[in-house]
């Protein structure tokens, strides 16, 4: 008989390959992802989430603990690697197909995670493969995914990692050995999953459930004594803390910021009322049913089937417990049953029971439990806890009927995805309408005019903010949302990611704590009475004002006369006008730089009194408004000499500042959100050699902001510019957005970087050296007693010359005229801790990988 050629045997080899089922399912998931791709020119934006497209900007934002979204905010420590990865994909496939990549990562990742988890539960026999594949696909495509899978954004990434995280945890604690390979796999799983714990509430929920899971294992598995169990718990949590070090080490700052925000206004809501609204009746808990899910019109058959499946959970648990031949699986199923009850408790929060009020009170008053107030934080764990017992029972049952039932149910569950119109027809649209005809939709097309103005401002190198007006929210709890009927947007503002400069939103007055200046301004009927908003824009470093006319007509009509009045007075200059917005430049008389020395200090009892002060501040005065119980007006003299400030922003959490011509103490203001963790570190003064200034050039489009050659010469003569770089040719790349799907890079060459005009005593010099991340580790900060809140939100320090002479004499540079120069680094203290924790995580990861490799080399699962 003639022997078959290799190529003729390829189809048979492929179908018999163990990887063939994976390939088929991943191709199915890819096909589903392509079916649900977003229409060209549209991005996802709904509720608190919007689709990131500016990954370069996201990496810059999320590398630091402090992020300047306008007036600034604490960052919940997103992992830049995730955005680097997505940015790399976008560069290859383009923005048009990024929605396909999102779907595939989320669905494919959750499928693989569940399959890997089954291996750690001991379900790795060939006879179980079909069952495992069915359940893995079901975990990836179930009703929860269809209902709550708004976008595979950072908040829902825990869904991918939950199976393998709990499976490795389970494998370690079900083994009697103290140190074994399963612990290392735990560490690997946790290290990889650091990408998904950006939202602290999700991490809180995971930590609580992990601890409870370990308790259940220790109760139902008595194969080792409590001494060994204690050691295992200690060792596990050491690995746990080491894996998540970059989050845990900076949590004190995050929790303090969150606590202050809850008390002072950023999330100032009635916690008790919110907890109650997010508590589900038990019937809804186990049927995944809630009024919140009405946003999605998924297939009714699919939803009904899943309800029936959920109610049969305990029946299956009972049957599997009685029929299972292995005590190990009995224990596992019992543990999962209790975990489902625990998750049900966190979702129910006592609703419908006699102790409802007490439970809600505990959740509302405790900052840790309060972070779990939204049901998603624990509901996201429920699909795995429901499906894994089914999988364990089905794989070990004598009769293999259940796998076929689950295969049929999987096909039913797939319907909302296979239909291919999940976001076009079903998600967040009016009944019977699609994303084009509905009043609001999750797929929005941002007007081209926004990209034009973003590109124009992105070329400007000066340090300033853009203030968005008016206040346009009927519900103050929706701070940060942009509700625009003209382009169907209702949710978080997607525009901020396209602007390189901070985009302060009047609809999110987070920095001003309990004072909602937007509402105050909107309610004032008199144009003259409301004029204080212009000097306020100067206080927050806003050079431009964007009047958004695409919001509700009610708010546009209230604000339009005021804006017209400011324009007539010459306080603002109209640059661009279109149906969506008017773009104005704020007069130089009102604009204040990021750093400045105040001419006069005013005292008010609280931020709400700021307008009354601003109405009387002389034009062009650099005011500082301090909060004090004693309302009075004080003036800080500068001894007939103006202190000149030279500075550079290293990143949003670090600045280098140089003071020239100090003769006496002076009030120094840093226009960034106040936080007690901002510190000033004096250092030895750095003055580089002045190189050939003939290479100095004005960057195109920056003529109004950059120092002219004559001004530059004056700065050098007065020693106001201390560094000019090393003289080598450098390249600068600027992102210019042509549309939501298309961007262009604008590159410039230079030898001397941007140097601004001297704006009210302040010069921005981008030639100042960045230094190193460890610059401040050996430096001592100025005493906190000099640090106060100013202008209702910003940072104020009294720079006391006598204190500096006594405590930092070596850092003061003596000038020939008797004045002093001083160089300082202003840094957000938790950033230092973050750097340390990142170094620790890198070292820890290396040790884990070496130990894991060693365990395979010596071929021992239990190596101690």
């Amino acid at each position: 008989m003639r022997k078959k050629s290799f190529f003729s045997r390829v189809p048979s080899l492929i179908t018999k390959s163990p990887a063939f089922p994976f390939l088929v399912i991943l191709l199915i998931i890819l096909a589903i992802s392509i079916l649900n791709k977003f229409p060209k020119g549209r991005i996802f934006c709904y509720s608190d989430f919007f689709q990131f497209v500016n990954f370069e900007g996201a990496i810059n934002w999320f590398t630091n603990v402090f992020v300047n979204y306008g007036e600034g905010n604490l960052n919940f420590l997103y992992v830049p690697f995730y955005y680097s990865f997505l940015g790399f994909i976008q560069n290859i496939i383009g923005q048009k197909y990024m929605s396909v990549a999102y779907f595939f990562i989320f669905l494919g990742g959750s499928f693989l995670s569940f399959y890997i988890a089954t291996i750690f539960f001991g379900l790795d026999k060939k006879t179980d493969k079909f069952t495992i594949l069915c359940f893995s696909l079901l975990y990836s495509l179930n009703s929860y995914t269809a209902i709550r899978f708004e976008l595979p954004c950072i908040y829902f990434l825990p869904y991918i990692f939950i199976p393998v995280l709990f499976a490795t945890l389970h494998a370690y604690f079900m083994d009697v050995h103290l140190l074994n390979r399963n612990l290392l796999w735990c560490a690997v799983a946790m290290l990889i999953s650091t990408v998904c714990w950006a939202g602290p509430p999700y991490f809180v929920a995971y930590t609580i459930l992990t601890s409870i899971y370990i308790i259940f294992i220790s109760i139902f598995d008595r194969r080792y004594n409590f001494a060994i169990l204690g050691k295992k718990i200690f060792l596990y949590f050491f690995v746990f803390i080491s894996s998540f070090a970059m989050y845990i080490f900076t949590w004190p700052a995050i929790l303090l910021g969150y606590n202050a925000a809850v008390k002072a206004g950023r999330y100032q809501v009635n916690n008790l009322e919110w907890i109650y609204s997010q508590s589900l009746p038990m019937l809804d808990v186990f049927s995944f049913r809630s009024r919140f899910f009405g946003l999605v019109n998924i297939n009714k058959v699919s939803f009904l089937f899943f309800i029936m499946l959920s109610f049969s959970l305990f029946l299956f648990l009972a049957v599997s417990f009685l029929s299972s031949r292995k005590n190990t699986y009995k224990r596992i199923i019992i543990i999962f049953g209790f975990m489902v009850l625990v998750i049900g408790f966190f979702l129910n929060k006592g609703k419908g029971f006699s102790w409802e009020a007490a439970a809600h009170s505990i959740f509302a008053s405790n900052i840790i439990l309060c972070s779990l107030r939204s049901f998603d934080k624990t509901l996201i764990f429920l699909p795995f806890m429901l499906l894994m017992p089914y999988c364990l029972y089905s794989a070990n049952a004598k009769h293999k009927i259940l796998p076929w039932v689950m295969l049929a149910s999987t096909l039913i569950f797939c319907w909302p995805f296979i239909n291919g119109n999940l976001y076009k027809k079903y998600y967040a649209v009016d009944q019977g309408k699609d994303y084009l005809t509905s009043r609001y939709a999750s797929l929005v097309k941002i007007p081209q005019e926004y990209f034009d103005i973003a590109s124009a401002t992105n070329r400007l190198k000066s340090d300033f903010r853009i203030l968005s007006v008016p206040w346009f929210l009927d519900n103050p709890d929706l701070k940060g949302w942009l509700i625009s009927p003209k382009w169907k947007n209702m949710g978080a503002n997607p525009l901020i990611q396209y602007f390189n400069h901070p985009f302060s939103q009047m609809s999110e007055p987070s920095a001003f704590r309990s004072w909602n200046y937007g509402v105050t301004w909107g309610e004032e009927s008199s144009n003259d009475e409301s004029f204080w908003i212009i000097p306020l824009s100067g206080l927050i470093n806003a050079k431009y004002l964007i009047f958004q006319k695409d919001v509700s007509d009610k708010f546009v009509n209230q604000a339009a006369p005021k804006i017209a009045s400011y324009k007539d007075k010459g306080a603002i200059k109209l640059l661009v006008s279109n149906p969506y917005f008017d773009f104005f430049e704020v007069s130089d008389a009102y604009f204040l730089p990021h750093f400045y020395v105040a001419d006069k200090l005013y005292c008010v009892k609280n931020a709400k009194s700021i307008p009354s002060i601003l109405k009387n501040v002389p034009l062009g005065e650099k005011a500082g408004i301090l909060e004090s119980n004693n309302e009075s007006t004080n003036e800080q003299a500068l001894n007939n000499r103006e202190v000149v400030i030279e500075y550079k922003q290293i990143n949003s959490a670090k600045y280098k500042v140089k003071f020239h011509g100090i003769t006496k103490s002076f009030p120094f203001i840093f226009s960034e959100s106040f936080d007690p963790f901002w510190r000033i570190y004096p250092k030895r003064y750095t003055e580089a050699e002045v190189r050939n200034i003939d290479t100095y050039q004005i960057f195109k489009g920056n003529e109004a902001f950059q120092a002219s050659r004559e001004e530059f010469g004056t700065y050098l003569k007065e020693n106001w510019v201390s560094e000019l770089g090393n003289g080598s040719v450098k390249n600068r790349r600027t992102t210019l957005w042509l549309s939501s799907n298309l961007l262009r890079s604008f590159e410039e060459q230079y030898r001397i970087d941007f140097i601004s005009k001297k704006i009210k005593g302040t010069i921005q010099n981008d030639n100042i050296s960045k230094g190193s991340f460890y610059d401040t580790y050996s430096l001592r900060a100025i005493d906190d007693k000099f640090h106060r809140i100013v202008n209702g939100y910003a940072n104020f320090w009294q720079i006391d010359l006598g204190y500096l002479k006594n405590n930092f004499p070596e850092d003061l540079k003596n000038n020939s005229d008797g004045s002093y120069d001083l160089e300082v680094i202003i840094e957000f203290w938790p950033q230092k801790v973050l750097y340390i924790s990142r170094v620790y995580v890198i070292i820890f990861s290396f040790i884990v990988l070496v130990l894991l490799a060693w365990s395979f080399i010596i071929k021992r699962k239990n190596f101690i």
Side-chain angles (χ1 to χ4, degrees):
M1 188 174 182
R2 190 175 180 181
K3 190 177 181 180
K4 292 183 179 180
S5 67
F6 172 77
F7 292 103
S8 64
R9 290 186 289 123
V10 168
S12 176
L13 291 173
I14 292 176
T15 54
K16 292 181 180 180
S17 170
F20 180 71
F22 291 97
L23 179 62
V24 171
I25 291 178
L26 289 175
L27 287 175
I28 291 172
I29 290 175
L30 179 61
I32 289 173
S33 302
I34 294 173
L35 281 172
N36 287 281
K37 71 180 178 68
F38 300 160
K40 182 180 179 181
R42 292 183 180 268
I43 68 168
F44 176 90
C45 183
Y46 191 79
S47 185
D48 291 334
F49 311 102
F50 62 78
Q51 178 184 345
F52 264 114
V53 295
N54 183 6
F55 296 111
E56 183 178 348
I59 293 169
N60 291 332
W61 292 338
F62 300 149
T63 302
N64 305 305
V65 180
F66 193 89
V67 180
N68 50 357
Y69 288 117
E71 296 91 10
N73 247 322
L74 277 177
N75 180 17
F76 286 148
L77 298 180
Y78 296 75
V79 178
F81 173 77
Y82 173 66
Y83 293 94
S84 300
F85 174 67
L86 291 181
F88 173 75
I89 293 177
Q90 180 171 278
N91 290 337
I92 296 175
I93 66 176
Q95 173 59 31
K96 179 181 178 181
Y97 297 102
M98 275 306 290
S99 59
V100 177
Y102 281 129
F103 269 90
F104 186 75
I105 291 171
F106 191 86
L107 301 180
S110 54
F111 163 77
L112 292 174
S113 180
F114 195 93
Y115 188 90
I116 294 171
T118 62
I119 296 174
F120 282 95
F121 278 101
L123 304 180
D124 53 356
K125 296 183 295 185
K126 291 184 178 179
T127 55
D128 297 333
K129 183 164 290 186
F130 175 72
T131 302
I132 295 170
L133 288 173
C134 284
F135 276 95
S136 299
L137 184 60
L138 182 58
Y139 180 74
S140 179
L141 302 171
N142 58 62
S143 290
Y144 172 83
T145 309
I147 296 169
R148 292 302 297 169
F149 169 44
E150 297 171 332
L151 187 73
C153 66
I154 198 83
Y155 291 104
F156 292 113
L157 282 178
Y159 187 85
I160 293 179
F161 296 96
I162 286 165
V164 71
L165 284 168
F166 275 94
T168 53
L169 162 70
H170 184 89
Y172 175 61
F173 278 95
M174 293 297 284
D175 193 287
V176 296
H177 294 87
L178 183 62
L179 180 61
N180 58 52
R181 193 181 296 162
N182 286 326
L183 179 63
L184 298 177
W185 285 125
C186 271
V188 170
M190 288 186 286
L191 286 166
I192 294 175
S193 69
T194 54
V195 65
C196 70
W197 302 109
Y202 290 90
F203 189 81
V204 169
Y206 171 67
T207 306
I208 292 174
L209 291 177
T210 295
S211 303
I212 295 173
Y213 196 83
I214 292 173
I215 292 172
F216 286 153
I217 292 176
S218 65
I219 291 174
F220 293 106
D221 195 299
R222 298 298 182 91
R223 288 179 295 170
Y224 40 71
N225 59 43
F226 285 103
I228 294 180
L229 176 63
K231 293 177 182 178
K232 285 178 75 79
I233 291 175
F234 173 80
L235 195 58
Y236 173 80
F237 277 102
F238 170 77
V239 171
F240 181 92
I241 292 172
S242 298
S243 301
F244 299 116
M246 67 179 67
Y247 299 105
I248 296 174
F249 285 179
T250 53
W251 258 47
I254 292 175
L255 289 178
L256 283 173
Y258 181 81
N259 193 22
V262 170
K263 289 181 177 179
R266 171 59 182 90
Y267 303 104
Q268 192 176 33
V269 296
N270 186 324
N271 281 335
L272 197 60
E273 182 181 316
W274 184 266
I275 291 291
Y276 182 81
S277 71
Q278 296 283 304
S279 304
L280 303 182
M282 290 303 295
L283 186 66
D284 288 354
V285 168
F286 292 108
S287 62
F288 285 14
R289 185 178 63 184
S290 165
R291 62 185 179 87
F292 297 99
F293 297 157
L295 296 172
V296 183
N297 302 315
I298 66 167
N299 181 268
K300 293 181 179 179
V301 177
S302 168
F303 194 43
L304 178 63
F305 187 87
F306 197 84
I307 292 174
M308 295 172 61
L309 193 65
S310 300
F311 276 120
S312 65
L313 170 65
F314 291 103
L315 176 63
F316 275 108
L317 289 176
V319 172
S320 62
F321 178 77
L322 294 174
S323 63
S324 178
R325 291 169 293 181
K326 296 183 178 181
N327 289 330
T328 300
Y329 289 116
K330 288 185 179 181
R331 289 194 296 268
I332 294 174
I333 291 170
I334 291 173
I335 292 169
F336 270 94
F338 277 106
M339 286 302 297
V340 170
L341 292 177
V342 170
I343 293 173
F345 166 76
F346 281 113
L347 294 172
N348 171 254
K349 299 182 181 71
K351 195 164 190 174
F353 294 91
S354 59
W355 38 277
E356 173 183 308
H360 287 165
S361 217
I362 292 172
F363 274 91
S365 59
N366 184 288
I367 188 170
I368 300 296
L369 293 179
C370 180
S371 68
L372 305 182
R373 58 190 181 186
S374 298
F375 54 82
D376 269 330
K377 310 306 184 296
T378 46
L379 183 62
I380 199 171
F381 295 88
L382 192 53
F384 170 71
M385 296 299 175
L386 285 172
L387 292 177
M388 184 52 76
Y390 293 132
C391 187
L392 291 168
Y393 166 72
S394 179
N396 290 278
K398 294 180 180 179
H399 303 288
K400 300 295 182 180
I401 298 175
L402 189 58
W404 291 100
V405 174
M406 298 310 296
L407 177 62
S409 67
T410 301
L411 296 176
I412 296 174
F413 288 134
C414 286
W415 169 251
F417 299 94
I418 296 174
N419 188 40
N421 292 302
L422 189 60
Y423 292 97
K424 296 177 184 177
K425 290 187 176 181
Y426 298 109
Y427 188 86
V429 294
D430 297 333
Q431 190 71 33
K433 295 184 179 181
D434 60 14
Y435 73 105
L436 294 174
T437 56
S438 180
R439 183 184 178 193
Y440 295 105
S442 60
L443 297 180
V444 300
K445 186 174 184 180
I446 299 174
Q448 181 61 41
E449 288 81 355
Y450 282 109
F451 298 110
D452 295 339
I453 199 64
S455 294
T457 56
N458 286 354
R459 295 182 65 169
L460 302 178
K461 307 182 190 307
S462 181
D463 183 11
F464 59 79
R465 296 188 178 101
I466 300 169
L467 174 62
S468 165
V469 298
W471 168 268
F472 47 74
L473 299 175
D474 287 309
N475 182 356
D477 290 340
L478 301 179
K479 293 175 183 178
W481 278 28
L482 175 57
I483 302 176
S484 176
K486 287 191 176 181
W487 44 286
K488 304 180 185 298
N489 180 79
M490 184 171 66
N493 189 350
L495 300 175
I496 59 175
Q497 65 178 316
Y498 298 103
F499 289 82
N500 289 351
H501 294 83
F503 199 90
S504 298
Q505 305 170 78
M506 182 178 276
S507 59
E508 188 181 12
S510 56
F512 285 88
R513 301 172 295 149
S514 59
W515 180 41
N516 191 324
Y517 69 96
V519 171
T520 301
W521 180 73
E523 290 176 348
E524 291 177 335
S525 57
S526 168
N527 298 338
D528 291 334
E529 184 184 8
S530 67
F531 188 78
W532 56 266
I533 194 65
I534 301 301
L536 181 71
S537 68
L539 289 182
I540 66 173
N541 188 223
K543 180 59 179 172
Y544 294 98
L545 185 148
I546 183 168
F547 173 42
Q548 297 191 236
K549 299 184 293 186
D550 50 1
V551 299
S552 171
D553 289 341
K554 164 187 170 182
F555 299 104
V556 174
N557 294 335
Q558 285 178 350
K562 302 173 187 175
I563 298 296
S565 171
Y566 310 156
K567 177 175 172 289
D568 292 341
K569 292 179 178 179
I572 55 177
K573 177 184 177 183
L574 180 64
L575 302 179
V576 176
S577 181
N578 55 61
Y580 300 99
F581 62 83
D582 289 339
F583 195 73
F584 296 91
E585 180 181 5
V586 178
S587 170
D588 290 340
Y590 300 99
F591 176 69
L592 288 169
H594 209 147
F595 299 91
Y596 66 94
V597 175
D599 293 333
K600 185 180 292 188
L601 295 177
Y602 299 87
C603 293
V604 295
K605 286 187 176 180
N606 54 60
K608 295 180 181 180
S609 303
I610 288 178
S612 62
I613 295 293
L614 293 178
K615 291 172 185 177
N616 299 307
V617 171
L619 186 64
E621 180 180 87
K622 296 183 293 181
I625 305 173
L626 296 171
E627 291 188 23
S628 171
N629 292 328
N630 180 26
E631 288 193 12
S632 59
T633 301
N634 302 306
E635 184 173 354
Q636 175 70 56
L638 294 180
N639 203 27
N640 300 321
R641 173 137 188 178
E642 181 183 16
V643 175
V644 174
I645 297 174
E646 177 192 8
Y647 81 95
K648 176 180 181 175
Q649 180 182 25
I650 309 300
N651 54 56
S652 60
K654 185 177 181 180
Y655 298 79
K656 272 193 176 182
V657 182
K658 299 185 180 185
F659 302 101
H660 302 285
I662 302 174
T663 57
K664 277 208 171 186
S665 303
F666 60 92
F668 170 58
I669 294 176
F670 170 37
S671 294
E672 201 64 76
S673 286
F674 176 84
D675 194 287
F677 284 114
W678 280 111
R679 304 283 165 77
I680 290 183
Y681 300 89
K683 65 181 295 289
R684 193 170 294 278
Y685 190 87
T686 304
E687 190 168 23
E689 178 186 354
V690 176
R691 300 182 181 275
N692 185 4
I693 65 173
D694 294 336
T695 58
Y696 181 74
Q697 62 182 25
I698 306 296
F699 291 97
K700 187 177 180 180
N702 285 268
E703 294 80 6
F705 299 93
Q706 189 171 355
S708 65
R709 280 185 170 274
E710 292 75 17
E711 290 170 323
F712 178 50
T714 302
Y715 299 166
L716 292 176
K717 182 180 178 182
E718 296 289 342
N719 292 318
W720 293 338
V721 171
S722 58
E723 299 181 52
L724 294 177
N726 58 15
S728 63
V729 176
K730 305 176 187 67
N731 289 300
R732 185 199 297 271
R733 188 169 67 88
T734 304
T735 300
L736 303 179
W737 289 91
L738 305 181
S739 68
S740 62
N741 295 96
L742 185 63
L743 58 88
R744 178 169 63 89
S745 294
F746 178 74
E747 294 192 0
E748 297 172 293
Q749 283 191 344
Y750 65 93
R751 291 181 183 273
I752 299 178
D753 208 342
F754 178 82
I755 298 174
S756 75
K757 293 181 179 297
K758 181 167 166 280
I759 303 173
K760 297 186 177 178
T762 301
I763 298 171
Q764 174 189 338
N765 181 8
D766 289 345
N767 296 280
I768 295 175
S769 61
K770 290 184 177 180
S772 304
F773 73 90
Y774 52 81
D775 282 337
T776 60
Y777 285 71
S778 60
L779 299 178
R780 185 161 52 99
I782 288 178
D783 198 306
D784 286 342
K785 69 181 181 181
F786 297 108
H787 188 196
R788 294 176 60 185
I789 189 169
V790 71
N791 296 341
Y793 83 102
N795 294 269
F796 165 87
W797 284 275
Q798 179 69 18
I799 306 299
D800 190 300
L801 186 56
Y803 170 80
L804 292 174
K805 287 180 178 180
N806 290 331
N807 293 274
F808 302 93
E810 68 282 358
D811 297 324
L812 287 168
K813 174 179 172 280
N814 292 291
N815 297 322
S816 57
D817 61 357
S819 65
Y820 299 93
D821 287 358
L822 173 68
E823 180 175 349
V824 301
I825 295 175
I826 300 178
E827 187 173 37
F828 192 58
W829 178 82
Q831 187 72 23
K832 298 168 66 174
V833 183
L834 178 60
Y835 288 146
I836 294 173
S837 63
R838 282 175 177 167
V839 172
Y840 178 84
V841 169
I842 291 171
I843 296 173
F844 174 76
S845 304
F846 176 76
I847 294 173
V848 166
L849 293 176
V850 169
L851 288 175
L852 192 59
W854 180 55
S855 73
F856 279 100
I857 291 172
I858 64 174
K859 297 182 179 179
R860 291 175 59 191
K861 180 179 179 181
N862 307 308
F863 49 93
I864 287 186

